[in-house]
Amino acid sequence: MAAIKLSSALVAHLKQRQLADKQLVLITDDGGGKYSLQGGACTIGTNFTLIVLDQPDPDYAVPLTNAAGLHLWTSPYDLVFLETGVAMDYGQGQISLKDDAHVLDNAVQIADGATVLAAFDRGMTPKGTSC
């Protein structure tokens, strides 16, 4: 079980967007995961997205415990990129993610999981980039 610190500003932002009672999945958005919108070898571990789901996804069953009591999950693969002291904050209109040693992403996105999967079903592919 992994822990994550969520700032009060982030929790307030998620509540304002009516997302605090949803299942939230923190992914490394590198083109390799089920919900990944971005990708490319040079983005591995630098882009993250919060995926919003109505129900838990068994592919993302690693809980990220937090004092706010939010239902926050990740996968064993994504957990590799989260070192000790993982924290998320909200400020200046953006969500940031860091750990004890790094700023991981200053622009974490929020995406609806069902919308992402529907887009993939219609033939949309992750935005790939090349180094």
Side-chain angles (χ1 to χ4, degrees):
M1 187 178 314
I4 187 168
K5 181 179 179 185
L6 306 176
S7 73
S8 58
L10 175 65
V11 173
H13 176 67
L14 294 173
K15 285 180 179 178
Q16 177 195 17
R17 292 189 59 180
Q18 299 179 351
L19 301 176
D21 61 339
K22 299 286 187 175
Q23 302 295 317
L24 302 173
V25 176
L26 180 62
I27 66 165
T28 305
D29 207 345
D30 59 10
K34 182 177 187 175
Y35 300 101
S36 188
L37 299 167
Q38 304 181 53
C42 52
T43 65
I44 293 175
T46 62
N47 293 322
F48 291 81
T49 298
L50 273 176
I51 301 296
V52 179
L53 303 172
D54 290 326
Q55 300 294 324
D57 184 326
D59 293 335
Y60 296 87
V62 177
L64 293 173
T65 59
N66 59 86
L70 297 181
H71 303 284
L72 188 55
W73 309 91
T74 196
S75 73
Y77 169 79
D78 297 296
L79 194 59
V80 168
F81 298 98
L82 304 174
E83 300 288 334
T84 59
V86 177
M88 293 182 81
D89 192 11
Y90 178 77
Q92 300 179 347
Q94 295 194 322
I95 298 172
S96 62
L97 177 68
K98 66 177 186 166
D99 62 24
D100 284 341
H102 312 93
V103 172
L104 300 169
D105 190 346
N106 277 325
V108 176
Q109 298 190 42
I110 298 175
D112 178 73
T115 302
V116 171
L117 295 179
F120 290 158
D121 285 345
R122 289 191 310 272
M124 181 187 142
T125 58
K127 179 180 85 175
T129 56
S130 174
C131 297

